Amino acid sequence: MFLIIFGALIFLFGIIGVITLRKKPDRILATIAIVLGLILAVVSTITVVPTGNTGIITTFGQVHDEVYDSGLHFHAPWEQVICMDNREQRIEFTMI
């Protein structure tokens, strides 16, 4: 969630900079800010669920019915994906 907000702020400052600045070097920096803001916004929507895990999708604490299998997934920026380990674990112990 932080990345989407940060990206949106950088994008907004870049747009304002392109509109208000007149010097070419300043406009180039504003354009770079726009591109950086867009990249941060896109990166905030990507999640990777490792092998042996299941991605549980939540929106503001509400759990969705669908889950993500292992792999690369895109989700809405306001959604959070929690990775849960679903591998079988065996513990051996001896009785004294």
Side-chain angles (χ1 to χ4, degrees):
M1 186 69 137
F2 172 75
L3 279 178
I4 189 70
I5 294 171
F6 189 63
L9 286 174
I10 290 175
F11 180 77
L12 182 64
F13 288 135
I15 292 291
I16 291 170
V18 166
I19 293 170
T20 59
L21 297 174
R22 299 291 177 216
K23 295 180 182 177
K24 188 168 184 164
D26 294 337
R27 290 180 73 111
I28 291 173
L29 287 175
T31 304
I32 291 171
I34 291 171
V35 171
L36 181 64
L38 289 174
I39 289 172
L40 285 176
V42 169
V43 167
S44 71
T45 64
I46 297 174
T47 189
V48 176
V49 179
T51 302
N53 288 301
T54 300
I56 299 172
I57 308 161
T58 61
T59 302
F60 303 116
Q62 297 286 346
V63 178
H64 289 233
D65 289 335
E66 68 177 291
V67 294
Y68 289 150
D69 293 330
S70 60
L72 181 71
H73 300 280
F74 291 96
H75 60 87
W78 54 86
E79 293 178 340
Q80 182 180 8
V81 178
I82 301 170
C83 292
M84 298 292 288
D85 189 4
N86 56 2
R87 294 176 288 184
E88 183 177 321
Q89 299 177 359
R90 297 179 185 226
I91 299 174
E92 295 182 19
F93 62 94
T94 57
M95 302 274 301
I96 298 179

